[in-house]
Amino acid sequence: DTEVTQTPKHLVMGMTNKKSLKCEQHMGHRAMYWYKQKAKKPPELMFVYSYEKLSINESVPSRFSPECPNSSLLNLHLHALQPEDSALYLCASSQDPGTKNIQYFGAGTRLSVL
Amino acid sequence: ELKVEQNPLFLSMQEGKNYTIYCNYSTTSDRLYWYRQDPGKSLESLFVLLSNGAVKQEGRLMASLDTKARLSTLHITAAVHDLSATYFCAVDPTGANNLFFGTGTRLTVIP
């Protein structure tokens, strides 16, 4: 099983709303990632969690707040977003941090900020 | 500044034809990944190339890596419609499995 599950699949929110994206994997992977993908562009790395600890924050604005409650679950809390934050948000996981492991991606959450 | 450029950005080819997608990157990376993305879908891993001269093949796709030239190729043999998708290469410049994706090549195979 190489499944990474993301919920919701679609999300529409206003600029004053607070919402959360959820990502789950049951492959025993210890590295989890958040990527942002704008339309017709490549994915861009946002955050990396290694063994439930935040190891990489690629200068992401504080209106995005990641959380890793346990080794299987990764959340992305959203607050006061801007319309330019509308994008596909992809979660990925890999077996071990810092090794030559394939990242497995979820189907993504398509976010629209009005 | 790290750059990962793919060529071409758009490719329209007839079924049965052969073609090569190129991925050039500007910094050292000891591995290179190829992913496929269908419209509105997630990314599917195709290949991981771990050393200079590595070649991997799966079906009609073959990937190679030249770390000295900082170049990877994805060769398509006898294209079929099911191969229509966007193909991304990705490098790992820090060695920490933090991927930096190329610009993508949108492939359309015409019957």
Side-chain angles (χ1 to χ4, degrees):
Chain A
D1 181 11
T2 56
E3 189 170 344
V4 177
T5 304
Q6 290 187 244
T7 55
K9 293 191 186 313
H10 301 275
L11 179 62
V12 179
M13 61 186 290
M15 289 189 283
T16 58
N17 292 155
K18 286 185 181 181
K19 297 286 185 182
S20 296
L21 310 184
K22 179 179 172 182
C23 173
E24 204 161 1
Q25 56 86 13
H26 296 287
M27 296 178 278
H29 289 177
R30 304 310 300 273
M32 296 186 77
Y33 312 78
W34 279 115
Y35 289 84
K36 173 182 178 179
Q37 186 178 24
K38 301 281 279 184
K40 302 188 194 310
K41 296 291 186 183
E44 295 179 347
L45 184 65
M46 300 174 71
F47 301 105
V48 180
Y49 272 84
S50 300
Y51 297 101
E52 297 94 68
K53 287 186 167 46
L54 182 65
S55 62
I56 298 286
N57 176 341
E58 292 286 354
S59 303
V60 179
S62 59
R63 56 186 184 269
F64 296 91
S65 175
E67 178 198 19
C68 190
N70 59 59
S71 59
S72 300
L73 188 57
L74 185 66
N75 298 320
L76 186 62
H77 302 298
L78 314 173
H79 174 54
L81 295 193
Q82 303 297 309
E84 60 264 27
D85 296 321
S86 298
L88 180 68
Y89 288 83
L90 293 163
C91 173
S93 70
S94 65
Q95 189 170 359
D96 291 303
T99 59
K100 299 175 183 179
N101 296 135
I102 294 170
Q103 291 186 24
Y104 295 93
F105 283 80
T109 294
R110 190 163 298 280
L111 173 67
S112 297
V113 182
L114 304 179
Chain B
E1 180 191 353
L2 172 60
K3 288 186 179 180
V4 184
E5 296 178 331
Q6 292 180 230
N7 181 34
L9 297 180
F10 300 94
L11 175 57
S12 181
M13 57 190 298
Q14 286 189 312
E15 279 190 334
K17 298 293 187 182
N18 304 333
Y19 208 84
T20 300
I21 298 171
Y22 298 88
C23 172
N24 288 91
Y25 51 100
S26 63
T27 188
T28 56
S29 178
D30 64 353
R31 68 200 84 161
L32 188 133
Y33 300 81
W34 282 98
Y35 281 87
R36 167 185 172 145
Q37 187 175 36
D38 291 294
K41 304 284 187 177
S42 187
L43 285 91
E44 175 191 354
S45 175
L46 296 174
F47 301 107
V48 181
L49 302 167
L50 298 176
S51 61
N52 186 42
V55 177
K56 288 197 173 179
Q57 182 163 6
E58 181 73 34
R60 300 174 188 275
L61 301 178
M62 183 173 70
S64 67
L65 178 62
D66 182 343
T67 58
K68 294 179 181 177
R70 297 181 183 172
L71 171 69
S72 180
T73 62
L74 181 66
H75 186 74
I76 303 156
T77 302
V80 294
H81 180 69
D82 286 350
L83 290 180
S84 297
T86 297
Y87 293 84
F88 291 100
C89 63
V91 298
D92 178 12
T94 65
N97 214 23
N98 302 330
L99 300 186
F100 193 94
F101 282 83
T103 47
T105 295
R106 183 179 292 183
L107 170 65
T108 303
V109 180
I110 304 167

